[in-house]
Amino acid sequence: MRYPEFLKENGTIGFVAPSFGAATEPYRSAFDNALKKFHALGYQTKLGPNCYASDGVGISSTPENCGKEINEAVTSPDSDVLISCGGGELMCEILDFVDFDRIAQASPKWYMGYSDNTNLTFLLPTLCDTAAIYGPCAGTFGMEPWHPSVQDALDLLRGKKLTMQSFDLWEKEGFKTEDNPLVPYNTTEPVVLKPFGAGAEQDGEIRFQGRLLGGCVDCLVNLTGTKYDHVREFSEKYAEDGIIWFLESCDLNVFAIRRAMWQMKHAGWFSHVKGFLIGRPLCFGQEMMGLDQYAAVWEPLKEFGVPVIMDVDLGHLPPQMPLVCGSMADVTLRRTKEQPDWKLEAAMRLE
């Protein structure tokens, strides 16, 4: 696995928009304020040509333009790391215009984003053997004040923090609007991690290790079985390490989540799995015909006999722990009689 150099003091942060750009409110104001905050911290910024674009369908510009922007930004010495402007809907359509061979031959560079950005944060490791960061998009850094998870993301980009912990509260309903673009997370709900499998009913620790791989299930299931699906080869290459899958969903209801688990399982994606980290789905609390978010995941995955940790701080119901897709990780879940709520720690190792 290739690991890029971390962001240095006074380094240059590049911004790209392979999915949505920062063309409308509240995203434009949030992005502009993020740039101000990065400048105040001493960093230079380099904006790609699509950051404020809105001439695309489900993404910032045409698939050709977005692919060209990625090819240039990832391989150019003009920036030290890259942060995506935002998520979106049709980033998959740029993949035919992304030169993965060129990227694999260039010096590696950190790319960070989530949601639709799974199309790169997942494919960079599996196609280019280059680690990427599943973490917040650029506009998140515009909030006032920063949530600790936002500082975690910057500290990860800087190489200052490689061990992430679960948080105490999460946001069920946000207040960010066109008129209030810089509002911080409205964290009101206690984080209650739900482990399934061995050790889930006991006090003490649940531990497992492996190589992190995953992202937004909406995007992953779309890639399954395409020419971009090299997951089985990746899993075989790193079979000795094993894989920790981290998964979260956006638009999927509980039945769509279950179908996605079935599809990825039958595509052979979960060979050599050591454990699953499942983020809170955007359909949190949904039940349809007796199926809830937990049975949607656990029933298809229980046959693997590994820990399945649900309602993890990942994805579309913030905060989220930034994770290095492609890195090794030691995952520990702890609780005691004195501390009955499970706490999660993921210690990443760049090896």
Side-chain angles (χ1 to χ4, degrees):
M1 182 60 57
R2 304 193 311 159
Y3 296 100
E5 291 187 12
F6 290 113
L7 178 64
K8 296 180 174 61
E9 295 296 324
N10 303 315
T12 299
I13 303 172
F15 297 92
V16 289
S19 193
F20 277 145
T24 60
E25 295 297 349
Y27 309 106
R28 179 158 190 146
S29 291
F31 180 54
D32 287 344
N33 199 54
L35 296 178
K36 292 178 182 178
K37 293 179 78 71
F38 284 127
H39 293 157
L41 291 170
Y43 297 108
Q44 311 302 310
T45 56
K46 173 74 174 179
L47 274 61
N50 300 321
C51 287
Y52 292 110
S54 61
D55 58 304
V57 177
I59 51 178
S60 61
S61 189
T62 65
E64 294 90 338
N65 286 343
C66 290
K68 180 180 179 181
E69 181 184 50
I70 288 298
N71 294 333
E72 296 302 319
V74 174
T75 60
S76 169
D78 291 344
S79 62
D80 301 309
V81 300
L82 294 173
I83 304 177
S84 176
C85 282
E89 299 294 342
L90 291 175
M91 187 175 164
C92 58
E93 293 188 354
I94 84 165
L95 297 180
D96 291 343
F97 303 97
V98 175
D99 191 340
F100 287 104
D101 290 334
R102 177 182 173 186
I103 291 171
Q105 294 168 11
S107 297
K109 181 184 295 189
W110 287 116
Y111 178 93
M112 184 167 73
Y114 83 111
S115 190
D116 207 21
N117 292 280
T118 297
N119 287 285
L120 277 185
T121 60
F122 183 77
L123 293 183
L124 286 172
T126 58
L127 297 185
C128 304
D129 218 38
T130 301
I133 299 174
Y134 198 73
C137 296
T140 304
F141 292 89
M143 73 170 64
E144 297 282 5
W146 278 2
H147 184 273
S149 63
V150 182
Q151 185 66 52
D152 283 351
L154 179 59
D155 287 345
L156 177 54
L157 274 175
R158 298 166 62 210
K160 303 296 185 181
K161 183 175 182 179
L162 294 176
T163 298
M164 301 298 162
Q165 295 86 16
S166 57
F167 297 95
D168 294 327
L169 299 170
W170 62 278
E171 177 185 89
K172 187 174 183 179
E173 182 179 0
F175 293 150
K176 188 173 181 178
T177 64
E178 292 183 9
D179 298 325
N180 199 7
L182 309 183
V183 65
Y185 294 144
N186 176 39
T187 52
T188 59
E189 308 301 308
V191 171
V192 180
L193 300 171
K194 296 184 182 297
F196 291 74
E201 302 301 325
Q202 304 172 10
D203 295 326
E205 291 187 345
I206 299 173
R207 300 175 64 94
F208 51 98
Q209 64 179 18
R211 196 165 290 275
L212 289 167
L213 191 63
C216 181
V217 174
D218 309 42
C219 302
L220 294 175
V221 75
N222 191 54
L223 294 171
T224 307
T226 70
K227 68 178 182 180
Y228 302 104
D229 178 358
H230 289 206
V231 175
R232 295 180 72 173
E233 296 92 326
F234 183 90
S235 296
E236 289 300 323
K237 179 177 182 177
Y238 293 108
E240 186 174 340
D241 300 329
I243 305 296
I244 297 173
W245 281 92
F246 65 92
L247 303 168
E248 57 95 8
S249 63
C250 179
D251 294 332
L252 306 184
N253 65 30
V254 291
F255 278 108
I257 291 171
R258 183 139 168 182
R259 287 192 294 267
M261 295 297 134
W262 182 93
Q263 184 173 349
M264 290 188 287
K265 178 175 71 173
H266 285 276
W269 280 27
F270 300 148
S271 61
H272 309 298
V273 66
K274 293 298 185 69
F276 292 90
L277 301 176
I278 309 296
R280 293 178 293 269
L282 199 57
C283 68
F284 188 91
Q286 182 184 69
E287 183 174 325
M288 299 175 68
M289 292 182 278
L291 183 70
D292 64 14
Q293 67 199 60
Y294 305 109
V297 172
W298 172 240
E299 290 299 326
L301 300 185
K302 64 182 179 182
E303 67 184 64
F304 295 103
V306 299
V308 179
I309 315 302
M310 301 205 208
D311 292 348
V312 175
D313 290 318
L314 286 170
H316 289 74
L317 290 175
Q320 62 174 310
M321 299 185 301
L323 296 176
V324 176
C325 193
S327 77
M328 289 293 294
D330 299 295
V331 174
T332 305
L333 202 67
R334 295 188 182 93
R335 76 171 179 182
T336 64
K337 292 181 179 178
E338 293 75 23
Q339 179 60 55
D341 293 330
W342 291 102
K343 298 297 181 182
L344 177 69
E345 178 178 281
M348 292 171 283
R349 295 181 279 119
L350 307 190
E351 57 185 51

